């Protein structure tokens, strides 16, 4: 096995992100050209990824337009060499497509196993090698650099290693007729079917490097056995100079190695250096989540909503006593902060941390009463957040806290077939009652628009912007199930606030979350 990472001299690992090519092969994902441009901009400019693979040649006119947009931008920031396009062994067709799109680097997809060569192409190794070299020479004549993918390399090393070596011997010895230098920049070794484990990666990578010590090898993992990150680390430990990743682990079948996880494991477990700006990992993950429609799991390492949230009270107590439950993955490293969620296992230490952050000072007896109420809520499986805490305090300690400053006096929402929903709303704000009415695209939309009118016309104030709206119900599918509505608000000063409402009716739950938000703002 490789020596301990602590004894290895820090080594630079090149990161190639394939979200816009391999990641787009995720079932149901198709990025529009302008979406590809926005993701590429963030990957190159903000995250500082070394290389991005943005498309496959000859797919569609829309794909070519996206590549053109990305290449124009990359040229402006002097990063055109970082933009790569997948090409095929198809004579001049892929090269001409890539040149017309404005790119200058092709990742040429070749067959890395004898089975693929014979059964898919129906060619001998010698014929396939001749076809590859013809494309490589033509690419160089057009000013296009070439990297080689050995598709199904993992199966090739298992079942037909002599074929892999025959291919490598021919390609590594081939010189560009224009420069008399090696004509291929990188050899990229994919585990196309996601069948490898870390021990096999170490074995096969070492064999490749022993035979071709001067070659730049990339490793491309797939996650079918949930080993993409482990295999990527094994490849780096064994001498691979580059790793392929995707944002949020997007990719065909079970996906590819997630960029965020590979980055932190390289830095923390391997002592490696990369170009990645870790503070922007969350931003690019959220952008890709939005465009792809593939939600990030709350417990996804680094980028999930819950990964820096402590629930157990003993953890909060330990954090107050010298950070006993901290590890190197501190949230500030990724532009985030540690949170202390509240539930039946929270304990007083956890509640105290949240109260302290809100600036609420309670006596030990009061804290105990609030803790008891949160435990009761946790037993009913209700979610309790820091935003809920002032209301729980108000409910438990009514004689200690002033009444709500925003009260919903009455409202009426109507829904009729063929007509827009209408809402009439009466609210009391700081003792003064106001009325408003509006139509909307839905009942809740009409309600919010009526509130916006009140805040604008009577109070001359900006109403917070609704940023995200999520609805959940308990499992079981009952028609009378409670509905939990979670709304994320963007405050005028930039602060983000999340409130929840719980009711048997979805609109009523959303209204409760809205009034809760307004009271937090007033208080």
């Amino acid at each position: 096995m490789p020596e301990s990472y602590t004894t290895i001299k820090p080594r630079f690992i090149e990161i190639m992100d394939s979200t816009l090519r391999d990641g787009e092969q995720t079932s149901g994902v198709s990025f529009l050209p302008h979406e590809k441009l926005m993701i590429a901009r963030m990957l190159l400019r903000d995250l500082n990824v070394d290389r991005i693979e943005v498309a496959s040649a000859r797919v569609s006119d829309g794909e070519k337009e996206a590549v053109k947009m990305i290449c124009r931008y990359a040229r402006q920031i002097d990063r055109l060499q970082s933009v790569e396009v997948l090409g095929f062994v198809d004579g001049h067709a892929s090269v001409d497509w890539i040149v017309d799109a404005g790119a200058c680097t092709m990742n040429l997809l070749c067959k890395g196993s004898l089975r693929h060569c014979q059964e898919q192409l129906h060619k001998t190794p010698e014929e396939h090698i001749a076809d590859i070299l013809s494309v490589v020479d033509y690419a160089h004549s057009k000013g296009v650099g070439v990297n080689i993918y050995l598709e199904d390399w993992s199966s090739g090393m298992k079942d037909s290693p002599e074929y892999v070596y025959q291919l490598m011997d021919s390609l590594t010895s081939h010189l560009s007729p224009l420069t008399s230098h090696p004509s291929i920049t990188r050899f990229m070794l994919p585990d196309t079917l996601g069948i490898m484990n870390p021990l096999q990666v170490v074995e096969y990578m070492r064999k490749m490097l022993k035979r071709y010590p001067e070659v730049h090898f990339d490793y491309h993992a797939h996650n079918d056995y949930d080993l993409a990150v482990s295999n990527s680390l094994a490849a780096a430990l064994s001498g691979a100079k580059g790793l392929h990743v995707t944002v949020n682990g997007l990719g065909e079948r079970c996906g590819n190695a997630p960029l965020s996880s590979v980055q932190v494991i390289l830095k923390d477990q391997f002592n490696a250096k990369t170009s990645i700006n870790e503070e922007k990992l969350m931003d690019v993950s959220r952008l890709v989540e939005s465009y792809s429609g593939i939600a990030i799991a709350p417990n996804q390492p680094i980028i999930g909503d819950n990964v820096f949230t402590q629930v157990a009270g003993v953890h909060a107590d330990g954090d107050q006593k010298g950070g006993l439950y901290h590890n190197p993955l501190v949230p500030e490293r990724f532009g985030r902060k540690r949170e202390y969620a509240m539930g039946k296992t929270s304990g007083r230490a956890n509640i105290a941390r949240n109260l302290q952050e809100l600036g609420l000072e309670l006596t030990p007896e009061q804290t105990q009463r609030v803790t008891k109420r949160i435990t009761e809520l946790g037993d009913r499986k209700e979610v309790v957040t820091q935003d809920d805490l002032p209301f729980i305090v108000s409910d438990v300690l009514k004689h200690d806290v002033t009444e709500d400053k925003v009260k919903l006096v009455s409202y009426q929402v109507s829904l009729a077939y063929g007509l827009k929903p209408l809402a009439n709303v009466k609210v009391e704000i700081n003792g003064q009652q106001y009325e408003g009415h509006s139509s909307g695209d839905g009942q809740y939309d009409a309600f919010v628009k009526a509130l916006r009118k009140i805040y604008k016309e009577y109070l001359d104030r900006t109403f917070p912007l609704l940023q995200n709206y999520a609805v959940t119900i308990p499992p079981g599918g009952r028609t009378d199930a409670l509905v939990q509505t979670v709304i994320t608000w963007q405050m005028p000063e930039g602060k983000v606030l999340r409130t929840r409402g719980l009711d048997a009716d979805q609109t009523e739950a959303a209204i409760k979350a809205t009034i809760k938000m307004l009271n937090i703002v007033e208080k």
Side-chain angles (χ1 to χ4, degrees), residues 213-425:
E214 302 303 319
V215 169
H216 177 120
F217 286 116
D218 282 1
Y219 178 72
H220 182 106
H222 280 264
N223 205 35
D224 295 70
Y225 282 93
D226 204 18
L227 289 170
V229 175
S230 298
N231 286 343
S232 296
L233 177 63
L237 286 168
S238 303
K241 294 183 179 179
L243 296 176
H244 295 188
V245 298
T246 60
V247 176
N248 301 342
L250 293 182
E252 199 167 28
R253 303 185 312 275
C254 302
N256 295 26
L259 165 60
S260 53
S261 297
V262 168
Q263 164 61 25
V264 298
I265 201 171
L266 282 175
K267 184 174 181 180
D268 295 359
Q269 305 294 338
F270 182 38
N271 197 28
K273 295 181 179 180
T274 70
S275 301
I276 301 298
N277 178 9
E278 292 183 339
E279 289 187 359
K280 297 298 182 179
L281 285 171
M282 273 296 293
D283 293 341
V284 72
S285 292
R286 291 294 179 247
L287 182 68
V288 171
E289 179 185 41
S290 174
Y291 286 158
S292 68
I294 305 297
I296 300 170
N299 62 340
Q300 177 75 19
I302 313 304
I303 55 176
D305 280 345
N306 295 346
V307 296
F308 297 115
T309 301
Q310 303 276 37
V311 177
V314 65
H315 292 171
D317 180 64
D319 288 346
Q320 289 179 339
K321 298 173 180 176
L324 299 180
Y325 290 91
H326 289 187
N327 63 22
L329 299 175
V330 293
E332 291 77 14
R333 174 176 164 186
F334 310 104
R336 305 182 64 181
K337 71 173 186 175
R338 194 173 303 279
E339 298 179 359
Y340 295 88
M342 290 166 284
K344 60 185 179 181
T345 62
S346 297
R348 279 182 295 179
N350 204 335
I351 310 302
R353 285 294 294 258
N354 282 278
L355 290 170
Q356 182 181 5
E357 288 192 15
L358 290 171
L360 296 173
E361 295 184 7
L362 301 183
T363 66
E365 188 271 336
Q366 291 172 332
T367 302
Q368 185 175 1
R369 290 167 59 189
V370 170
T371 303
K372 181 180 178 182
R373 176 58 58 85
I374 291 173
T375 301
E376 293 170 355
L377 290 169
D379 282 333
R380 299 209 306 267
K381 298 185 179 179
E382 292 187 23
V383 178
V384 182
T385 70
Q386 190 181 86
D387 296 331
D388 297 318
L389 193 52
F391 293 90
I392 297 172
V393 172
S394 298
D395 188 44
V396 174
L397 310 174
K398 289 179 180 177
H399 61 283
D400 292 330
V401 184
T402 59
E403 294 184 357
D404 290 345
K405 295 187 177 184
V406 179
K407 297 179 180 178
L408 183 60
V409 179
S410 64
Y411 76 92
Q412 180 182 18
V413 292
S414 63
L415 179 65
Y417 180 75
L419 299 174
K420 275 198 166 189
L422 300 173
N424 292 289
V425 179

Side-chain angles (χ1 to χ4, degrees), residues 58 87-91 94 108-111 121 123 128 130-133 135:
R58 300 171 52 203
F88 306 96
V89 183
D90 54 10
S94 286
L108 184 58
L109 188 67
C110 307
K111 300 304 178 183
L121 299 182
K123 294 195 174 186
H128 187 39
D131 291 341
I132 294 170
L133 295 179
V135 174

Side-chain angles (χ1 to χ4, degrees), residues 63 90 176 301 364 424 502:
E63 194 81 332
D90 54 10
S176 168
N424 292 289
L502 191 69

Side-chain angles (χ1 to χ4, degrees), residues 46-347:
D46 300 331
L47 203 62
N48 199 36
V49 169
D50 298 293
R51 299 148 50 207
I52 58 173
E53 190 175 45
V54 299
S56 297
R58 300 171 52 203
V59 168
S60 67
D61 292 338
E63 194 81 332
K64 181 180 283 189
E65 181 58 30
V67 177
K68 286 182 177 180
M69 293 167 65
I70 292 170
C71 288
R72 281 197 296 267
Y73 171 72
R75 193 177 292 109
Q76 291 172 4
I77 62 170
D78 198 26
R79 293 290 304 274
L80 185 60
Q81 296 289 339
S82 299
V83 178
E84 302 173 5
V85 178
L86 185 74
F88 306 96
V89 183
D90 54 10
H92 296 178
S94 286
V95 175
D96 289 341
W97 193 97
I98 291 169
V99 170
D100 190 47
C104 63
T105 302
M106 174 174 65
N107 294 338
L108 184 58
L109 188 67
C110 307
K111 300 304 178 183
S113 68
L114 183 60
R115 182 182 177 190
H116 270 224
C117 178
Q118 292 179 335
E119 297 185 22
Q120 191 171 34
L121 299 182
H122 303 293
K123 294 195 174 186
T124 65
E126 292 76 16
E127 290 172 331
H128 187 39
I129 290 169
D131 291 341
I132 294 170
L133 295 179
S134 175
V135 174
V136 171
D137 287 344
Y138 182 67
H140 278 278
S141 74
K142 292 292 185 177
V144 175
V146 180
N147 302 315
I148 291 288
Y149 266 121
L150 298 184
E151 184 185 14
D152 200 35
W153 167 78
S154 49
S155 296
M157 291 300 290
K158 280 186 172 184
D159 305 328
S160 52
E162 293 308 315
Y163 166 80
V164 176
Y165 299 145
Q166 179 184 1
L167 197 66
M168 286 293 302
D169 289 345
S170 299
L171 298 180
T172 54
S173 62
H174 185 69
L175 301 179
S176 168
L178 300 178
T179 63
S180 298
H181 294 303
S183 56
I184 297 164
T185 307
R186 301 175 184 86
F187 285 83
M188 306 190 294
L189 310 177
D191 181 14
T192 303
L193 303 179
I195 58 176
M196 300 183 78
N197 64 53
L199 294 177
Q200 291 169 323
V201 174
V202 169
E203 177 187 354
Y204 296 153
M205 282 297 306
R206 285 186 166 183
K207 286 181 177 179
M208 296 293 285
L209 282 161
K210 182 177 181 180
R211 191 170 179 119
Y212 310 102
E214 302 303 319
V215 169
H216 177 120
F217 286 116
D218 282 1
Y219 178 72
H220 182 106
H222 280 264
N223 205 35
D224 295 70
Y225 282 93
D226 204 18
L227 289 170
V229 175
S230 298
N231 286 343
S232 296
L233 177 63
L237 286 168
S238 303
K241 294 183 179 179
L243 296 176
H244 295 188
V245 298
T246 60
V247 176
N248 301 342
L250 293 182
E252 199 167 28
R253 303 185 312 275
C254 302
N256 295 26
L259 165 60
S260 53
S261 297
V262 168
Q263 164 61 25
V264 298
I265 201 171
L266 282 175
K267 184 174 181 180
D268 295 359
Q269 305 294 338
F270 182 38
N271 197 28
K273 295 181 179 180
T274 70
S275 301
I276 301 298
N277 178 9
E278 292 183 339
E279 289 187 359
K280 297 298 182 179
L281 285 171
M282 273 296 293
D283 293 341
V284 72
S285 292
R286 291 294 179 247
L287 182 68
V288 171
E289 179 185 41
S290 174
Y291 286 158
S292 68
I294 305 297
I296 300 170
N299 62 340
Q300 177 75 19
I302 313 304
I303 55 176
D305 280 345
N306 295 346
V307 296
F308 297 115
T309 301
Q310 303 276 37
V311 177
V314 65
H315 292 171
D317 180 64
D319 288 346
Q320 289 179 339
K321 298 173 180 176
L324 299 180
Y325 290 91
H326 289 187
N327 63 22
L329 299 175
V330 293
E332 291 77 14
R333 174 176 164 186
F334 310 104
R336 305 182 64 181
K337 71 173 186 175
R338 194 173 303 279
E339 298 179 359
Y340 295 88
M342 290 166 284
K344 60 185 179 181
T345 62
S346 297

Side-chain angles (χ1 to χ4, degrees), residues 453-464:
K453 281 188 176 181
I454 291 172
Y455 270 72
K456 182 178 180 180
E457 294 177 5
Y458 295 108
L459 303 176
D460 192 27
R461 288 167 57 182
T462 301
F463 196 87

